[in-house]
Amino acid sequence: MSAAPAFFQQAVASLTSSRPRPEIELHEVQAPKRIAPWAYALAAEATGPAGELATARLVLLYDPDSYEAWNGVLRLVVYLRASLDAEVAADPLLPAVGWSWLTDALESCGTTCTALGGTVTLTSSARFGEISGPPRTHHLELRSSWTPSDEHLEPHAAAFCELLASATGLPPEGVSVLNPREGAAPRHG
């Protein structure tokens, strides 16, 4: 990254300066090469209290010549895939809920951005024959991008982690999830 401009290096440093909560694993991965002159990417994985799994990527793009649609020189791109149970997957409001995970995270983390857009897709797969795994799976996929107002990306990294937490049903930090049987009054026969 020594050939990258100082502005981009500062943006990457701020993006990687925040530490995710313990349930979220983050690591650097190869960034796409043809979208912008400079790019950096993180991959993440989180598992929720009931075994819900979400994987995601956060890509930072930098093009000093900008694109009109970006409305700036930096662009953040998110791809999230979260496993769902059948009951949740059948909810007709789920796409709006999935989108609110992102918009709520961006707002609560104090990000400032423009040109926010994206899609939420629901998928269901059925396995047949000798393929191992559950007979049916359901997923939510969220693809989104936005233009941060400056190179200070710590709030955007925090919002990315909060999006993962929402997708996996993690409680707010510092709150413990009780087993439904824990905390219940003992039954007397």
Side-chain angles (χ1 to χ4, degrees):
M1 189 147 82
S2 59
F7 177 81
F8 180 68
Q9 291 181 26
Q10 291 169 350
V12 169
S14 70
L15 187 69
T16 58
S17 67
S18 66
R19 298 289 159 236
R21 58 194 287 174
E23 303 93 340
I24 297 174
E25 296 178 30
L26 275 178
H27 60 278
E28 182 180 349
V29 292
Q30 186 170 349
K33 297 180 187 285
R34 292 182 273 179
I35 300 173
W38 289 278
Y40 179 84
L42 292 170
E45 184 173 296
T47 304
E52 305 90 337
L53 174 67
T55 57
R57 288 187 186 255
L58 176 63
V59 179
L60 170 63
L61 304 171
Y62 173 59
D63 188 340
D65 294 331
S66 185
Y67 291 100
E68 188 176 329
W70 286 12
N71 194 28
V73 296
L74 294 173
R75 191 78 175 157
L76 288 165
V77 180
V78 165
Y79 170 75
L80 168 89
R81 180 178 167 99
S83 61
L84 305 169
D85 65 35
E87 185 178 325
V88 171
D91 186 339
L93 298 178
L94 186 58
V97 170
W99 184 251
S100 74
W101 294 338
L102 175 64
T103 57
D104 291 351
L106 290 169
E107 183 179 324
S108 70
C109 291
T111 65
T112 54
C113 61
T114 60
L116 172 64
T119 62
V120 175
T121 305
L122 303 177
T123 62
S124 290
S125 300
R127 289 182 171 79
F128 299 96
E130 298 298 318
I131 294 179
S132 64
R136 193 168 280 282
T137 57
H138 309 279
H139 293 92
L140 177 142
E141 296 177 355
L142 182 145
R143 291 173 178 85
S144 179
S145 63
W146 64 91
T147 300
S149 61
D150 57 37
E151 75 279 14
H152 303 290
L153 303 178
E154 298 92 342
H156 300 272
F160 175 65
C161 291
E162 193 170 306
L163 168 64
L164 277 161
S166 294
T168 56
L170 289 171
E173 284 192 89
V175 175
S176 297
V177 175
L178 296 177
N179 182 324
R181 298 202 184 272
E182 289 179 28
R187 292 179 136 178
H188 298 290

